[in-house]
Amino acid sequence: MKGLWIVTTETSAEPTRRDFLYIATGAVAAVGAAAAVWPFIAQMNPDASTIAAGAPIEVDLTPIAEGQDIKVFWRGKPIYIMNRTKKQVEEARSVALSALPDPQTDQERTKEGHEQWLVVIGICTHLGCIPIAHEGSYDGFFCPCHGSQYDSSGRIRQGPAPLNLPVPPYQFVSDSKIQIG
Amino acid sequence: MSGPSTYQPQSPFMKWLEQRLPIAGLVHSSFIAYPTPRNLNYWWTFGAILSMMLAVQIVTGIVLAMHYTPHVDLAFDSVERLVRDVNYGWLLRNMHAAGASMFFVAVYIHMLRGLYYGSYKAPREVLWILGVIIYLLMMATGFMGYVLPWGQMSFWGATVITNLFSAIPFVGDSIVTLLWGGYSVGNPTLNRFFSLHYLLPFVIAGVVVLHVWALHVTGQNNPAGVEPKTEKDTVPFTPYATLKDAFGMSCFLVFFCWFIFYMPNYLGDADNYIPANPGVTPPHIVPEWYYLPFYAILRSIPNKLMGVVAMFGAIIVLLFLPWLDSAKVRSLRYRPLAKRFFWGFVATCLMLGWLGAKPAEGMYTILGRIFTFFYFAYFLIVLPLLSRVEKTLPLPNSIAEDVLNKGKVVGTTAASLFAAVLAGTMLFGGVQSAKASEGGESPPSLSWSFAGPFGTYDRAQLQRGFKIYKEVCSACHSLKLLQYRNLAEPGGPSFTLDQAKAIAAEASIKDGPNDAGEMFERPGRLADTFHSPFPNEQAARAANGGAVPPDMSLLAKARSYPRGFPQFIFDFFTQFQEQGPNYIDALLQGYQDTPPEGFSLPDGSYYNKWFPGHSIKMPPPISDGQVTYDDGSPQTLPQYAKDVTAFLMWAAEPHLEARKRLGLQVMIFLIILSGLLYFTKRKVWSNVH
Ligand code: FES
């Protein structure tokens, strides 16, 4: 800002030592001002304790009976863990990929050997509401906000949401325990 | 703001806008074409410096408010979380805290300049009064801001200052209750102070607009004190004043950054790193340095009501200055007698500042009364009298003529600059020397790897220190503000992440409730803190003979001792800040089996040479050979003491290395910028002289 007027006061067409001094001063001041802005922006990012609190969590699956689900929180996000029935798995696997707005197989979205378990982040990909489990016409999730319907694999089937419910990073530590994160 | 604008818009859009909202014309006439006297010296750049500081305080303050929690149980920790965990949080906090002091440094210089050159005289009375109002608002804002971190000084400062109002007859107590929102300083008080501390800076900004408006109506005063008569007496604001101001601001930033990056605690009080405790008053309640002269006036009057009246009167009298001093000649340059009294007044203010930091007893009270008298006498006797009897020197005919006598001016400017620097350092030292009056020996100054501008922690030492904390201190003391992950973070003891995880896993953390509604124990994780071994404060007290072992997170910054005059002045230049570590190290080695003759030691206490009062409840915590070192360092008490102290310093300030590293970069940058601005300014001004 300090540099702005400077260049215009120069009348000679040839660059002079004076020009150089003015431009250098203006440039250094501008660089300083830009650098000074950085801490004020960086402070808005999650702080170190928030990041540390987002560490992986372990969830015990034994209390979840077939056909039931639980909701746990990881990094402030609701995670659905659903113990699917045979019928739900079947439905999820029999649908043709071409019929899906966001094509993905059920195999890609679950872990091999643990087919009945569906773990998805329960945030509607439309505008962030929490879909309700075991509702809607696809045996999966129904978002009450604007009517998006997800199937039993958490894939978008109908409504304004563009994408499937995302699968968080997780792995099975044992047959009855998963680690999310 | 000064008459119809001469601004000629060029582009069609600007023409269109100018007819509807003449904002470009306003900016042009106020900050570009605005004529400024060509003989202004660098004391006139403090107006721009103050605008800059107001902006810095508002911007950093808004950011701090994003991370601060105004609640008595959470405020202290939220400030520490900001400093430790938020990206650049330590920087923003230091900027705001040191910025408050810098704001006052600049405002005092600005006011003294006004006083010296008679800038309050007709037609600038309203300009001056608006300035005094800004100053009053600044005092209120600064005070409430100091309360927000909710440390010991915050709490007791709030208590003492709000109690000033109890001196008002009849309604005093009701007013104090009203201010507190309770029967003592508490959560409602903190909440309203936060709200008002956020509001007042914008009120200040509003009054600043009026101040600048009034300035642009009357025009600036100048060192000669004669009004500009012809074109030759003035230069356009831009580029001449703009560049001069920019150079002044850049130099001031160097000074400011010295505090931000190297001396962040020099102007603060160690006691404010102890969380507020309504049950214990610190031995020395000292306000921030910028209130000290008024605090001295308050204490020198032996009557509660009159003391408060005198204190407020000392500021209110400034409002009447334009009429108390009726001399026609403005600048003290042409008033030889008044000039002497002016410097006497400056000395009086400094003395009052120094006395304000001293205990109110004996000699100090007497001196306090004498200088309080001098203070008021300057305004109420000296100035009215002098303006009638003094024989003034001949004034220059015009500003242009004044510029020709430049050589002389440089001499006086240099002399007064020197005096101001000296005065400033003396005032800063007031607080420090206050505590020096407690007397007694100071702990020996050790050499620390983290001292000085390039200081860094010694990794091996931090790891050894941590071992001592774990094996010895942690039996009684917590480190609540530290998390296990910190052990592996850059700038610290450099444990690997796996080592830190393993250390965390050794701890057992109470968590829950689980699905069955029960609390359970689990191994620690990286995000857990070093919690206290005792379930609650009462248990800690019971197990330790009635004394709670303090949390050690901030110990190295919360302990200090006086450095005395003139040592504290050298400390400013040598960046000495290691009182805390010196004290802790000395304390650990300061136990004596037999107290000196005549000292009666209470039961269950131990004699320690360095503990205040000498009687400490903590038994000697560590002795030779108690902890095994793997790296071959001597297993002796002095080595243990030094290692654990270094560890505690890191615990108190985990970003110390980042602070000093960034400080060096910023300093180099600012010095280059100041140099460039200086030469640019000289080039531009060369055609004026
Ligand atoms: S947010 Fe779910 S449908 Fe809009």
Side-chain angles (χ1 to χ4, degrees):
Chain A
M1 9 141 224
K2 287 156 205 149
L4 285 185
W5 59 270
I6 291 169
V7 190
T8 56
T9 57
E10 191 52 59
T11 45
S12 100
E14 294 269 308
T16 60
R17 263 176 56 199
R18 176 189 295 203
D19 269 339
F20 176 74
L21 178 63
Y22 293 171
I23 291 167
T25 309
V28 170
V31 167
V37 170
W38 177 241
F40 292 87
I41 294 170
Q43 56 87 17
M44 305 255 268
N45 266 321
D47 67 22
S49 65
T50 307
I51 293 168
I57 54 165
E58 288 193 349
V59 184
D60 182 16
L61 303 179
T62 36
I64 314 168
E66 193 175 296
Q68 288 193 331
D69 63 275
I70 63 163
K71 213 188 315 174
V72 296
F73 277 86
W74 175 68
R75 292 198 171 162
K77 293 178 178 160
I79 310 261
Y80 275 115
I81 303 172
M82 186 180 268
N83 191 347
R84 301 185 290 180
T85 59
K86 287 259 150 49
K87 177 167 162 276
Q88 280 180 303
V89 177
E90 215 112 285
E91 279 168 358
R93 302 206 159 184
S94 57
V95 60
L97 275 190
S98 55
L100 298 171
D102 179 15
Q104 234 183 350
T105 63
D106 188 55
Q107 282 83 343
E108 286 170 53
R109 298 175 53 83
T110 51
K111 303 272 179 213
E112 217 186 318
H114 304 282
E115 284 78 17
Q116 79 269 38
W117 293 102
L118 176 71
V119 180
V120 287
I121 298 178
I123 297 180
C124 181
T125 57
H126 181 221
L127 292 172
C129 294
I130 299 184
I132 305 165
H134 298 293
E135 274 199 28
S137 9
Y138 298 90
D139 239 354
F141 304 84
F142 170 73
C143 181
C145 285
H146 316 96
S148 289
Q149 308 228 18
Y150 299 87
D151 67 11
S152 54
S153 188
R155 291 170 299 196
I156 180 65
R157 297 296 285 273
Q158 193 183 313
L163 297 173
N164 301 336
L165 294 178
V167 178
Y170 75 98
Q171 73 245 9
F172 278 84
V173 220
S174 71
D175 271 351
S176 62
K177 199 176 234 179
I178 58 168
Q179 188 195 45
I180 301 175
Chain B
M1 296 186 198
S2 44
S5 175
T6 55
Y7 173 66
Q8 292 299 331
Q10 299 298 316
S11 73
F13 172 73
M14 290 312 284
K15 278 184 190 140
W16 179 86
L17 183 69
E18 196 64 9
Q19 279 158 10
R20 286 153 182 84
L21 179 73
I23 189 160
L26 181 73
V27 169
H28 186 268
S29 63
S30 307
F31 300 106
I32 295 176
Y34 176 68
T36 78
R38 53 185 279 198
N39 61 340
L40 297 187
N41 57 31
Y42 276 105
W43 298 117
W44 260 265
T45 61
F46 279 87
I49 289 170
L50 282 164
S51 316
M52 172 180 78
M53 288 315 300
L54 179 61
V56 167
Q57 289 304 87
I58 289 182
V59 172
T60 54
I62 287 172
V63 167
L64 297 200
M66 293 182 190
H67 304 279
Y68 172 76
T69 315
H71 186 281
V72 286
D73 295 332
L74 305 171
F76 187 88
D77 284 357
S78 76
V79 173
E80 276 303 315
R81 289 264 73 90
L82 158 76
V83 168
R84 287 159 188 264
D85 289 341
V86 172
N87 298 325
Y88 295 101
W90 58 268
L91 172 65
L92 299 164
R93 202 268 170 127
N94 286 356
M95 280 171 87
H96 198 70
S101 281
M102 295 303 109
F103 207 160
F104 277 96
V105 168
V107 89
Y108 282 131
I109 294 175
H110 192 64
M111 288 166 80
L112 286 175
R113 197 235 42 222
L115 222 51
Y116 186 89
Y117 292 110
S119 301
Y120 48 85
K121 294 189 181 191
R124 298 188 179 82
E125 301 95 323
V126 173
L127 175 63
W128 169 262
I129 289 169
L130 287 168
V132 176
I133 292 171
I134 293 173
Y135 174 56
L136 274 170
L137 287 168
M138 279 174 63
M139 301 253 258
T141 312
F143 157 65
M144 287 192 269
Y146 194 54
V147 173
L148 300 184
W150 210 241
Q152 271 291 66
M153 276 297 162
S154 303
F155 182 87
W156 291 102
T159 304
V160 169
I161 301 293
T162 47
N163 265 315
L164 288 179
F165 293 90
S166 70
I168 302 169
F170 310 118
V171 291
D173 285 332
S174 320
I175 289 182
V176 173
T177 311
L178 182 84
L179 290 176
W180 288 341
Y183 300 108
S184 58
V185 173
N187 202 45
T189 324
L190 179 60
N191 270 298
R192 63 191 57 184
F193 277 21
F194 178 55
S195 167
L196 293 174
H197 182 70
Y198 205 113
L199 167 72
L200 285 186
F202 297 97
V203 177
I204 293 179
V207 185
V208 166
V209 169
L210 296 181
H211 190 67
V212 174
W213 186 10
L215 174 76
H216 283 216
V217 169
T218 60
Q220 281 162 295
N221 184 28
N222 63 79
V226 294
E227 296 291 337
K229 289 172 192 125
T230 60
E231 286 264 298
K232 275 197 342 213
D233 289 342
T234 62
V235 288
F237 192 81
T238 301
Y240 298 98
T242 341
L243 265 181
K244 203 164 179 173
D245 285 347
F247 174 60
M249 291 194 280
S250 186
C251 292
F252 192 78
L253 279 177
V254 173
F255 179 63
F256 183 15
C257 286
W258 188 265
F259 289 98
I260 296 177
F261 293 105
Y262 296 121
M263 307 294 285
N265 297 314
Y266 186 68
L267 299 170
D269 199 302
D271 275 322
N272 227 22
Y273 281 110
I274 304 172
N277 180 351
V280 182
T281 308
H284 264 291
I285 298 274
V286 181
E288 290 280 79
W289 67 267
Y290 34 87
Y291 304 121
L292 285 174
F294 304 102
Y295 196 59
I297 291 176
L298 169 81
R299 297 190 311 181
S300 62
I301 312 274
N303 171 295
K304 185 169 172 179
L305 176 60
M306 290 320 289
V308 174
V309 168
M311 189 184 79
F312 284 109
I315 302 167
I316 301 302
V317 72
L318 294 173
L319 292 172
F320 297 95
L321 184 59
W323 296 276
L324 290 169
D325 175 14
S326 56
K328 285 279 163 300
V329 174
R330 292 201 185 97
S331 173
L332 293 193
R333 225 193 245 172
Y334 308 104
R335 298 179 62 189
L337 212 51
K339 190 199 268 182
R340 282 196 202 144
F341 278 103
F342 170 83
W343 289 112
F345 172 73
V346 173
T348 300
C349 292
L350 292 175
M351 273 308 282
L352 282 171
W354 178 68
L355 289 164
K358 291 277 178 195
E361 56 195 31
M363 199 52 202
Y364 300 129
T365 318
I366 298 169
L367 282 174
R369 290 188 190 147
I370 294 174
F371 282 98
T372 300
F373 173 76
F374 284 171
Y375 182 95
F376 284 104
Y378 180 70
F379 293 109
L380 301 177
I381 302 172
V382 173
L383 285 179
L385 215 61
L386 277 184
S387 50
R388 284 177 182 82
V389 303
E390 187 176 14
K391 236 178 86 52
T392 56
L393 303 178
L395 292 176
N397 286 320
S398 69
I399 289 175
E401 187 188 304
D402 175 57
V403 173
L404 296 176
N405 308 329
K406 207 168 142 255
K408 225 168 59 193
V409 182
V410 171
T412 43
T413 309
S416 39
L417 187 69
F418 176 73
V421 168
L422 193 73
T425 37
M426 273 183 70
L427 199 59
F428 282 149
V431 181
Q432 313 262 337
S433 59
K435 296 180 211 145
S437 58
E438 277 172 280
E441 253 181 292
S442 301
S445 279
L446 306 177
S447 80
W448 300 99
S449 69
F450 46 81
F454 309 107
T456 52
Y457 291 116
D458 171 348
R459 314 279 162 223
Q461 184 171 49
L462 292 189
Q463 295 202 0
R464 292 196 300 270
F466 173 67
K467 192 160 197 229
I468 296 171
Y469 168 75
K470 207 174 85 171
E471 293 182 15
V472 183
C473 319
S474 68
C476 299
H477 295 273
S478 56
L479 275 176
K480 275 191 304 203
L481 298 171
L482 221 60
Q483 300 182 341
Y484 289 99
R485 65 183 161 86
N486 294 133
L487 293 173
E489 280 168 6
S494 293
F495 285 106
T496 63
L497 203 59
D498 289 329
Q499 281 173 318
K501 273 187 190 151
I503 291 166
E506 285 170 33
S508 132
I509 306 287
K510 190 170 205 158
D511 203 346
N514 60 15
D515 292 342
E518 274 148 25
M519 303 301 281
F520 57 94
E521 300 272 337
R522 61 162 173 80
R525 300 182 192 131
L526 286 177
D528 289 318
T529 64
F530 293 82
H531 63 89
S532 166
F534 304 104
N536 52 51
E537 191 187 316
Q538 283 70 12
R541 201 178 283 282
N544 289 282
V548 188
D551 180 75
M552 297 220 280
S553 316
L554 282 167
L555 211 56
K557 288 206 279 189
R559 297 290 181 270
S560 189
Y561 53 86
R563 293 282 285 173
F565 182 88
Q567 188 61 49
F568 66 84
I569 293 180
F570 304 139
D571 289 351
F572 173 73
F573 296 102
T574 59
Q575 303 184 352
F576 175 82
Q577 297 225 91
E578 283 74 38
Q579 286 102 321
N582 286 342
Y583 169 81
I584 296 174
D585 184 284
L587 182 97
L588 287 171
Q589 304 184 57
Y591 285 90
Q592 285 169 17
D593 290 339
T594 44
E597 202 99 356
F599 186 89
S600 74
L601 197 63
D603 262 359
S605 296
Y606 302 85
Y607 185 86
N608 191 302
K609 184 169 176 215
W610 301 109
F611 193 69
H614 302 303
S615 145
I616 188 170
K617 292 275 188 190
M618 172 170 76
I622 190 164
S623 51
D624 287 349
Q626 193 175 332
V627 175
T628 313
Y629 280 155
D630 312 322
D631 63 357
S633 301
Q635 303 181 23
T636 57
L637 176 59
Q639 186 67 35
Y640 289 154
K642 197 152 190 212
D643 292 347
V644 77
T645 304
F647 171 74
L648 288 178
M649 185 64 219
W650 169 75
E653 191 162 3
H655 297 302
L656 178 139
E657 291 185 5
R659 164 162 72 80
K660 295 188 174 182
R661 203 179 324 120
L662 187 59
L664 186 67
Q665 294 163 1
V666 170
M667 282 293 180
I668 291 173
F669 172 83
L670 281 177
I671 288 166
I672 293 173
L673 178 65
S674 303
L676 282 170
L677 281 169
Y678 176 73
F679 287 114
T680 304
K681 180 242 149 199
R682 234 181 43 169
K683 264 264 149 57
V684 167
W685 276 79
S686 59
N687 55 3
V688 176
H689 296 311

